[in-house]
Amino acid sequence: MDQLLNDPKFQKTLSEIAEKSGETLEAINEKAIEYWNELYTVHQPFANIMAMQMAQYTLERGYDKTIDVNPAQIKALTKLARRHSIAFVMKHKTYIDMFVLGVVLARHGLPIPYTFAGINMAFLGLGQFGRRTGAIFIRRGTADDPTYRATLKHFIAHKVKQKGHFMWAIEGTRSRTGKLVWPKMGILKYIKEAEEYSKNEVKYVPVSVVYDLIPDVKDMTAEFQGRVKAPESLSWFLNYIRQMGEGYGKISLRIGEPIKRDERHSSLIHQGKDYKEKDEFSISQFALELVHNINQITPVTTASLICVTLLSHYSLTKKQIEGYVYLFMQFIESYKPDALVDRGIPINESVQTALNLLVKGQLLRRHGEGVKTKYVISTANYLQVAYYANMCVHHLYHLAFIELALMKTANAKSEDSTLTFWEEIMNVRNLFKFEFFYSRKPEFTEEIESNMNFMDSNSRWQERLSNPKKYVSDFLKKQRILVAPVVLSTYLEAYQVVAYGLKNWDSNFAFDNKKFLEDCLFLGEEMQWQGRIQRMESVSKPYLQNGIRLIRNLDLIP
């Protein structure tokens, strides 16, 4: 450790910090030693074996023993890991996400990565064990502590030089909505800086883990409604493992191609003007590209499609559910054949298995008997159903945009209805730019055209748009299910709350983001009570925060 701390390059950085802060170099070095000891972690073989056995035991208590993976992706990853350090960039659904990736890698003889975790997870027992199994416990809110940031960068650079691998959740916290949320740049920026600092290339690989059901969702939706999050502790951790014995279905993991920072990225940036420094904007661009690719490889569960279907209706029989789910599966397979978790399984079998899980989890209830039995969303657990529905919206928002654009085209007084259609597609795309991660416009246009060709079996929609009123009416009547109300209503209602909050904000006071968000939460509850909005999830921080991002982007804040 002394050799690493006395590294000339690191000591030069500490000297610069001491000079700027007015502290002595000795005091800065003492801080660096404290931080280094806090960050220090190794992979002890025996501890790793114990960790993987514990992880496997935990997963098998709640899920099928076999984790669904793509063998071709594992083969490609094996070749990549021999030559480079890998940063596995994951979405964050549950506390066991890292367990899943670790177990899959161990089963295929691949090295266990170093895991980034919040310092709040370094509680008694887990902290000591974690530091023997590659867990890097990091502090939050260190923007004003250059010594900590410099020590962390130097520590990561040391691991990169050793060709160590890393894994972390780019969202920074578990998604409270079911879909990917705005990425956090911190760890990504640290690794990029460490990569440049060490002169060793790191490959950034997107990873997506999906579950039929998730044990965390019940608590997360309760927090969604205002319950205080329970602090992490040893008893909390043991209780979490204990509750895994309830049966949550199966786990699927997908691994994408490595993403290069200097490539022309396909995803679009919406908040560029918020970043004053070019490098900060570049990191943001790269982070959004990673998130976009995570979405692209995320598979779709039958349970999530059932939740979307039932949110569009009050109740349905199993046969009716099978019909709608089959339509969704056909649509998704038309452009992404490997996206379905239950691909190749008979529709009646996959739907029945998912319905059993949802009923057992008290998300749905049965009404009636025999073939006429209907499945209904449990009112008390509506938010959980909405969560699971959101797990597949990245495959459905194109359809929702098309439905809105067609309605606008049918009612518009325009000589060029095709132009009106595409203008509205782009308007809707712009409106929801903080909810979804898009391809660039040329690729996005091709995706819309592909979706329209699927929806219009004769593929003559461009010709028929010349008479939009008749075409749109006939076209939408032929669609067995419309997704815009399910996919977009929550966002629109959240935007409505934010707009009302902005209208009521006293411009004599400087705009305060935290205070405004609190006001919006209160106004949203009031509007829901008055019947002006319907969706209870609209009145929540994740949705309202994106509404605030939108008004900031539109320069509407006084």
Side-chain angles (χ1 to χ4, degrees):
M1 185 177 80
D2 289 343
Q3 184 179 356
L4 291 169
L5 287 171
N6 290 323
D7 175 82
K9 196 172 181 180
F10 182 52
Q11 281 299 313
K12 182 182 177 183
T13 301
L14 296 184
S15 296
E16 292 171 354
I17 293 171
E19 185 177 346
K20 288 181 181 178
S21 66
E23 295 184 68
T24 64
L25 180 57
E26 183 181 357
I28 296 296
N29 266 298
E30 286 179 2
K31 283 185 181 179
I33 292 170
E34 177 191 346
Y35 296 151
W36 187 275
N37 288 330
E38 187 177 275
L39 293 166
Y40 187 74
T41 185
V42 293
H43 276 296
Q44 295 181 353
F46 180 69
N48 274 346
I49 292 171
M50 287 183 61
M52 288 303 101
Q53 288 179 341
M54 183 184 75
Q56 189 160 304
Y57 167 77
T58 301
L59 296 177
E60 290 179 0
R61 277 182 58 81
Y63 294 94
D64 295 351
K65 289 186 178 182
T66 301
I67 297 174
D68 173 42
V69 298
N70 184 326
Q73 293 174 350
I74 298 294
K75 186 176 180 179
L77 182 65
T78 302
K79 292 181 180 179
L80 188 68
R82 291 185 188 134
R83 303 189 300 270
H84 300 281
S85 286
I86 297 176
F88 295 98
V89 188
M90 306 179 67
K91 63 195 304 184
H92 197 9
K93 293 293 183 190
T94 169
Y95 288 109
I96 59 173
D97 294 331
M98 310 298 176
F99 283 15
V100 176
L101 180 58
V103 166
V104 168
L105 294 175
R107 285 178 179 176
H108 291 86
L110 290 164
I112 308 301
Y114 291 99
T115 305
F116 289 98
I119 195 70
N120 59 304
M121 297 299 292
F123 48 78
L124 180 65
L126 188 62
Q128 294 87 333
F129 185 66
R131 290 186 174 94
R132 290 172 172 78
T133 56
I136 304 172
F137 296 106
I138 60 174
R139 299 184 181 189
R140 294 176 179 173
T142 59
D144 297 327
D145 191 343
T147 306
Y148 183 85
R149 286 164 32 228
T151 306
L152 178 59
K153 182 170 73 172
H154 185 55
F155 180 79
I156 296 172
H158 166 60
K159 296 300 182 184
V160 170
K161 281 183 178 179
Q162 294 179 326
K163 289 195 174 181
H165 307 307
F166 307 90
M167 60 179 172
W168 84 99
I170 195 167
E171 296 162 292
T173 184
R174 294 169 300 161
S175 169
R176 263 65 176 174
T177 63
K179 68 183 184 70
L180 270 169
V181 298
W182 202 258
K184 298 289 195 301
M185 315 299 169
I187 294 175
L188 179 63
K189 187 175 181 180
Y190 283 133
I191 293 183
K192 290 302 298 182
E193 289 176 349
E195 179 185 5
E196 294 164 5
Y197 185 78
S198 66
K199 308 300 182 185
N200 290 73
E201 185 180 13
V202 176
K203 294 293 184 180
Y204 298 84
V205 175
V207 176
S208 180
V209 182
V210 297
Y211 312 81
D212 282 337
L213 296 182
I214 300 173
D216 307 42
V217 171
K218 185 176 181 180
D219 288 337
M220 284 193 293
T221 51
E223 293 163 16
F224 201 86
Q225 294 176 296
R227 194 181 79 181
V228 177
K229 180 177 179 287
E232 290 83 0
S233 64
L234 182 59
S235 61
W236 164 87
F237 182 66
L238 294 174
N239 186 58
Y240 185 84
I241 293 176
R242 193 178 302 116
Q243 73 170 346
M244 291 293 293
E246 297 177 10
Y248 293 99
K250 60 185 173 185
I251 303 172
S252 299
L253 179 142
R254 297 292 182 268
I255 301 168
E257 296 288 331
I259 309 299
K260 292 182 180 178
R261 183 178 174 183
D262 57 352
E263 287 181 344
R264 179 182 178 272
H265 299 312
S266 62
S267 60
L268 192 63
I269 305 304
H270 310 298
Q271 234 178 345
K273 62 185 177 184
D274 285 358
Y275 299 100
K276 296 179 181 179
E277 300 296 332
K278 183 178 179 181
D279 186 60
E280 187 180 357
F281 176 76
S282 179
I283 288 289
S284 170
Q285 188 179 38
F286 187 51
L288 288 175
E289 175 66 9
L290 287 165
V291 170
H292 173 71
N293 277 269
I294 290 172
N295 261 344
Q296 292 297 301
I297 63 171
T298 297
V300 180
T301 67
T302 302
S304 68
L305 294 176
I306 291 174
C307 289
V308 170
T309 300
L310 285 173
L311 284 171
S312 303
H313 302 79
Y314 179 72
S315 63
L316 291 170
T317 64
K318 177 176 178 280
K319 187 175 182 62
Q320 289 172 323
I321 291 171
E322 286 175 2
Y324 289 123
V325 168
Y326 178 72
L327 286 175
F328 282 134
M329 287 182 167
Q330 269 192 317
F331 167 68
I332 293 169
E333 280 200 313
S334 71
Y335 69 92
K336 199 163 185 62
D338 61 343
L340 299 174
V341 168
D342 289 333
R343 186 178 180 217
I345 300 176
I347 188 70
N348 64 326
E349 182 181 331
S350 62
V351 167
Q352 187 62 65
T353 300
L355 284 172
N356 291 344
L357 282 171
L358 292 166
V359 170
K360 184 179 178 182
Q362 299 181 354
L363 304 178
L364 305 182
R365 58 184 176 85
R366 295 186 181 94
H367 178 78
E369 297 178 358
V371 294
K372 292 186 178 180
T373 299
K374 287 194 171 184
Y375 291 87
V376 186
I377 293 173
S378 172
T379 305
N381 293 323
Y382 162 81
L383 284 176
Q384 293 185 50
V385 175
Y387 180 101
Y388 290 112
N390 278 336
M391 286 171 58
C392 65
V393 293
H394 57 284
H395 286 290
L396 303 177
Y397 69 80
H398 294 83
L399 291 180
F401 289 5
I402 288 169
E403 292 166 11
L404 294 185
L406 286 174
M407 291 299 297
K408 176 75 172 183
T409 304
N411 295 315
K413 296 178 180 179
S414 171
E415 295 181 359
D416 190 340
S417 54
T418 301
L419 178 61
T420 301
F421 171 77
W422 283 110
E423 286 178 342
E424 188 59 20
I425 284 286
M426 293 304 168
N427 288 339
V428 175
R429 179 181 189 264
N430 188 54
L431 177 63
F432 295 106
K433 60 190 173 184
F434 294 109
E435 308 300 345
F436 306 107
F437 299 94
Y438 306 131
S439 303
R440 288 188 178 272
K441 287 185 179 179
E443 292 88 355
F444 181 83
T445 302
E446 291 176 2
E447 291 162 6
I448 293 293
E449 288 179 341
S450 175
N451 289 174
M452 283 295 293
N453 289 335
F454 177 84
M455 295 170 74
D456 187 337
S457 56
N458 295 319
S459 297
R460 294 174 56 196
W461 59 273
Q462 292 179 330
E463 175 188 335
R464 293 177 179 179
L465 270 179
S466 58
N467 185 8
K469 286 193 176 180
K470 184 177 186 309
Y471 170 68
V472 170
S473 177
D474 293 344
F475 178 82
L476 293 179
K477 284 178 181 176
K478 289 179 182 178
Q479 304 307 309
R480 290 185 57 189
I481 188 167
L482 299 176
V483 300
V486 175
V487 174
L488 303 178
S489 291
T490 300
Y491 312 123
L492 288 172
E493 289 191 349
Y495 295 171
Q496 186 180 347
V497 173
V498 171
Y500 187 62
L502 191 63
K503 181 181 177 182
N504 286 275
W505 181 264
D506 189 341
S507 58
N508 292 317
F509 294 93
F511 187 84
D512 182 281
N513 199 82
K514 184 177 179 181
K515 175 67 167 59
F516 182 71
L517 181 58
E518 290 173 356
D519 288 351
C520 286
L521 287 168
F522 173 79
L523 289 170
E525 290 174 358
E526 182 180 57
M527 292 170 72
Q528 189 177 39
W529 182 266
Q530 294 169 345
R532 294 161 65 185
I533 61 173
Q534 306 298 321
R535 309 292 287 265
M536 66 176 69
E537 66 268 35
S538 301
V539 190
S540 64
K541 288 182 179 180
Y543 291 101
L544 294 173
Q545 283 169 337
N546 277 352
I548 296 171
R549 283 193 177 103
L550 180 61
I551 62 171
R552 189 182 296 279
N553 181 262
L554 296 173
D555 291 326
L556 297 177
I557 293 176

